[in-house]
Amino acid sequence: MGGNHQAGIGRLAPVPVAVALAVLVGACSGDDGGGTGDDGGDTTETTEADEADEAAVELPADYEGYESTVYADDARWLCKPALADGVCQRDLDATAVHADGTTELQAHEVAVDPPVDCFYVYPTVSNDEAANSDFQPGEGEEIVTAYNQVARLTSSCRVFAPIYRQLTLTRLLAGLSGGGDQGDDQDGPDPRRVAYDDVVDSFRHYVANESDGRGFVLIGHSQGAGLLSRLVADEIDDEPLLRDRLVGAYLLGGSVAVPEGEVVGGDFANVPLCESDDQTGCVVSYASFRSDVPPPGNSFFGRAGGAGQRAACVNPADPSGAGGLTELEPYFNIDPPDGTLLGDPQPFADPARTSEITTPWVTYPGLIEAECVSEGEFTYLSLHVNGDPADPRTDDIGGDLTPEWGMHLVDVNVALGNIVDLVASQAEAYAEG
């Protein structure tokens, strides 16, 4: 990967360490703080007609008759089937850029009547000034992130993506610089509690009013993964009425703990790690690092805190882990809005050829391979980039912050096509019962 040929998407320009650390805290912010979401949102009883319609679907007691006064409003969702102009309705066509420089159009097809739903929680992206974000999503923040990470799943499921009052980058930076404890706001409720209660409120509203008993996939990254991990532990793991409807949980860019050598236990008593592409009710989790830049001793990801436990790693391209290095199917947005950390992708060694790409997305067949690796106390998804200076395609991808971060920024994008395929396989298996 020598010389100018690695311009391609290119490794990202250095990001200020304070910003990087802020995002890290966001990744962990769903793991502590009080509350189960019982008082996370105002609720009202559904009408008698609604109750009659839902009588055939048995729900946990906390979900029966639940209606959020916040999430009953379609304006509180980034993606929802009823939103004609939602984020997930944007153009998702892609161009495959092959190693020999040839290109191939991939038209995105939205499923007409998918058998399952996908419920998505985005990572730390808000630059709002308060400790918690407001309900007004930013184009370069919540909106582009949902477009990048979950919109493509409309080929396999109906997507629901609530806007939630997350712990903001501003608050995290203030905590890191000594401006106050990150988890305890003397002037109001715990910001982490606010974020988590919004997620619980939106999920309960979805289950009680939108799902009609359908199976659901959970997907979240960084702060979103932390909040969904807690939701699985609090709401689903010990509740058969919901656990039986869990198609899969994609908890990415964090650390789900399992006992050494086991696939269940640790963070969840009943929900195991996925081991095959047709297994349902299981977890896919990983943190990604370059194969030539493995986690250093002070890495932020890839290890579990408890004695005798390890961080989970499930490769979405090969859940069994038996195949060794397996080809990934990445997807990158070719023209992200200003202000995002992902940079400006260039799919060719010669940037002038970028104008040949007329779709908003690009993918690179055969460029990236991955396998789960355990070294010392770390378990992670090791990414190998097959760059070739002799061909016209890019030799590299972006996503780097610092060695401690690994490829956190692109945890989802590097394997997005594999995640879509795995969700489709799980959905089929779930529908067949």
Side-chain angles (χ1 to χ4, degrees), residues 51-323:
E51 290 175 348
D53 290 340
E54 296 167 4
V57 179
E58 186 177 4
L59 297 175
D62 290 339
Y63 289 71
E64 286 285 355
Y66 192 94
E67 185 172 352
S68 167
T69 58
V70 173
Y71 292 101
D73 184 352
D74 286 350
R76 294 293 184 258
W77 298 83
L78 292 170
C79 296
K80 188 179 179 183
L83 298 178
D85 59 349
V87 176
C88 292
Q89 275 66 47
R90 294 186 175 187
D91 188 356
L92 290 158
D93 287 350
T95 299
V97 182
H98 297 279
D100 62 2
T102 60
T103 61
E104 179 182 4
L105 177 65
Q106 292 185 352
H108 180 76
E109 296 184 6
V110 176
V112 175
D113 186 23
V116 302
D117 298 335
C118 289
F119 186 90
Y120 166 74
V121 181
Y122 47 81
T124 312
V125 292
S126 176
N127 288 306
D128 288 352
E129 295 183 359
N132 290 99
S133 61
D134 57 27
F135 284 115
Q136 301 301 317
E139 179 65 37
E141 299 168 356
E142 295 92 341
I143 292 173
V144 72
T145 304
Y147 182 49
N148 261 284
Q149 294 189 339
V150 76
R152 190 161 296 278
L153 281 165
T154 53
S155 65
S156 300
C157 57
R158 302 190 309 170
V159 176
F160 292 80
I163 302 167
Y164 73 101
R165 292 170 295 175
Q166 71 169 206
L167 194 67
T168 62
L169 286 167
T170 305
R171 172 69 177 195
L172 298 172
L173 285 167
L176 290 169
S177 62
D181 182 82
Q182 299 164 26
D184 184 16
D185 191 336
Q186 295 180 356
D187 299 323
D190 181 345
R192 294 192 185 103
R193 171 67 179 267
V194 172
Y196 179 65
D197 284 352
D198 277 357
V199 171
V200 174
D201 186 30
S202 60
F203 179 73
R204 288 185 175 182
H205 181 85
Y206 152 74
V207 169
N209 301 279
E210 303 280 358
S211 72
D212 295 325
R214 296 158 61 91
F216 54 81
V217 174
L218 303 178
I219 180 167
H221 180 240
S222 196
Q223 181 173 171
L227 294 170
L228 284 178
S229 292
R230 187 172 162 197
L231 182 135
V232 170
D234 291 351
E235 303 280 309
I236 298 173
D237 191 45
D238 289 329
E239 178 47 77
L241 292 176
L242 295 179
R243 193 174 67 245
D244 290 347
R245 291 169 56 184
L246 178 65
V247 179
Y250 292 74
L251 309 175
L252 311 174
S255 296
V256 173
V258 290
E260 184 88 36
E262 302 293 337
V263 296
V264 69
D267 285 348
F268 310 131
N270 299 296
V271 178
L273 304 184
C274 295
E275 297 183 278
S276 67
D277 59 8
D278 60 355
Q279 181 182 357
T280 61
C282 55
V283 171
V284 172
S285 181
Y286 60 83
S288 59
F289 291 81
R290 291 182 183 271
S291 59
D292 57 350
V293 189
N298 61 345
S299 177
F300 299 141
F301 303 104
R303 61 182 160 193
Q309 297 187 340
R310 297 196 71 88
C313 181
V314 176
N315 182 352
D318 178 24
S320 72

Side-chain angles (χ1 to χ4, degrees), residues 332-359:
F332 295 99
N333 186 0
I334 194 70
D335 188 25
D338 293 340
T340 61
L341 293 176
L342 291 178
D344 189 12
Q346 299 294 332
F348 298 99
D350 178 5
R353 288 197 61 185
T354 300
S355 61
E356 299 176 20
I357 308 298
T358 59
T359 61

